[in-house]
Amino acid sequence: MSIDTTPSTTPQAGRDAIVRIVGLTKSFGSLQVLKSVNLEVRRGQVVCILGRSGSGKSTMLRCINHLEKPSSGAVIVNGEVVGYKLRHDKLHELKPNEIARQRAQTGMVFQAFNMFPHLTVLENLMEAPVRVLGRRPEEVRSEAMELLKSVGLADRADQYPSTLSGGQQQRVAIARALVMKPSVMLFDEPTSALDPELVGEVLEVMKALARSGMTMIVVTHEIGFARSVADEVVFMADGQVAEQGPPSQVIDNPQAEATRIFLRSLSERRDAPVQ
Ligand code: ADP
Ligand code: MG
């Protein structure tokens, strides 16, 4: 695999970048899902990714934490090429334990909550810091409790995930990602699986996180959230960034035809009578 990870020539490029996606291409067999995507996310930025189903949003997030390997191009998190190290001018894939350590820099929250059902809420939070980072349980426990408090669930620490609502489980999933002290949080449609009345509590936690200065990349169909929280909105179509800019531009004054069609379809869906 050959990649060029040299900074681009614009003076601002690379400065404060937590995530840099450089010429990222990903194919599954003959299907090219990502077509040379470039994207830079700076420290403290909230970037919302919009786009139709199948446009490559999840694949892009999965490349950021090396759940998928790029076919070409690279992802750089905190200055490190994700999944590889450079030795004698060649990229070598990292070993599983090195990948796990690197993956700890990117907290991921999925549509499905992915709790360990046999562990309590607190044990779910403590598992990765203890097992992956080798940290001392007593030290992790107090940090985990603080985080549970911050998502409003300290009183649920000793319960099992199945006793919680979907909204509560997703708030636990956010706390569980944060306990690894990631430098960027990735959200893949975190509210899509929730009953409508539970969406708000999860978005509130995400808003608070954004206000705290966390760098976030959020794939979402929640246009209201994107408009009020995103510094930048990226619209993906057919494996490419079709349009990118502040919400006032991409959401309220979209230039690309694909963005207009997508936003119209969302508002039609919202306006449709409930079946
Ligand atoms: P989005 O998240 O925007 O809906 P995805 O990144 O999940 O899009 O998928 C983009 C395309 O890649 C889709 O056509 C999907 O079927 C395909 N795809 C995703 N993952 C795989 C895989 N592991 N194997 C084969 N095709 C895949
Ligand atoms: Mg997806």
Side-chain angles (χ1 to χ4, degrees):
M1 196 181 76
S2 85
I3 61 158
D4 177 8
T5 58
T6 51
S8 53
T9 47
T10 46
Q12 293 295 314
R15 220 182 56 162
D16 270 354
I18 297 286
V19 177
R20 278 210 299 138
I21 298 175
V22 188
L24 177 64
T25 298
K26 175 69 185 177
S27 300
F28 295 107
S30 60
L31 179 69
Q32 198 176 41
V33 172
L34 295 176
K35 301 170 184 171
S36 196
V37 172
N38 295 298
L39 186 67
E40 191 167 293
V41 180
R42 295 191 304 277
R43 188 183 303 280
Q45 256 194 332
V46 177
V47 174
C48 283
I49 315 273
L50 309 180
R52 284 173 46 178
S53 172
S55 57
K57 306 180 299 295
S58 295
T59 304
M60 187 172 82
L61 281 195
R62 291 166 62 81
C63 285
I64 297 175
N65 67 1
H66 209 56
L67 288 173
E68 297 288 357
K69 293 180 202 173
S71 303
S72 66
V75 178
I76 297 154
V77 174
N78 273 332
E80 278 183 42
V81 181
V82 172
Y84 300 89
K85 69 178 155 216
L86 204 56
R87 204 191 299 133
H88 307 308
D89 278 349
K90 280 221 170 96
L91 285 175
H92 299 266
E93 188 162 21
L94 296 177
K95 298 194 186 75
N97 65 330
E98 295 170 316
I99 289 174
R101 179 195 56 77
Q102 204 178 46
R103 196 171 277 150
Q105 294 184 37
T106 53
M108 180 109 178
V109 176
F110 301 89
Q111 186 173 328
F113 322 125
N114 298 318
M115 295 284 119
F116 297 113
H118 59 289
L119 299 181
T120 66
V121 164
L122 180 61
E123 287 165 350
N124 264 279
L125 262 69
M126 292 178 58
E127 202 267 349
V130 171
R131 188 179 50 80
V132 177
L133 303 181
R135 297 189 56 204
R136 292 186 15 233
E138 17 340 333
E139 190 185 289
V140 175
R141 183 175 288 113
S142 61
E143 290 176 18
M145 283 307 299
E146 276 305 307
L147 281 167
L148 284 177
K149 198 153 83 183
S150 75
V151 300
L153 292 169
D155 57 338
R156 304 299 173 118
D158 298 323
Q159 293 189 9
Y160 286 91
S162 61
T163 66
L164 304 185
S165 74
Q168 289 169 332
Q169 288 192 53
Q170 198 59 310
R171 284 147 64 197
V172 172
I174 294 170
R176 186 180 59 174
L178 289 171
V179 80
M180 295 293 275
K181 303 191 200 315
S183 44
V184 55
M185 284 283 285
L186 312 175
F187 293 88
D188 195 356
E189 300 197 34
T191 58
S192 295
L194 297 175
D195 291 336
E197 71 273 19
L198 302 178
V199 168
E201 65 190 65
V202 174
L203 294 181
E204 280 310 314
V205 165
M206 292 169 63
K207 277 183 195 168
L209 194 56
R211 277 196 301 270
S212 78
M214 176 59 76
T215 310
M216 297 165 59
I217 304 178
V218 185
V219 173
T220 185
H221 295 306
E222 295 290 336
I223 294 297
F225 175 85
R227 185 185 274 118
S228 66
V229 181
D231 298 297
E232 186 140 282
V233 175
V234 171
F235 180 76
M236 286 188 66
D238 197 21
Q240 291 176 312
V241 173
E243 187 163 1
Q244 175 177 4
S248 58
Q249 180 192 314
V250 179
I251 297 177
D252 297 323
N253 190 16
Q255 301 301 306
E257 182 62 14
T259 320
R260 288 197 207 118
I261 292 170
F262 174 78
L263 291 170
R264 208 177 304 137
S265 75
L266 274 192
S267 67
E268 276 161 14
R269 204 187 311 164
R270 230 185 346 260
D271 296 342
V274 178
Q275 299 291 318

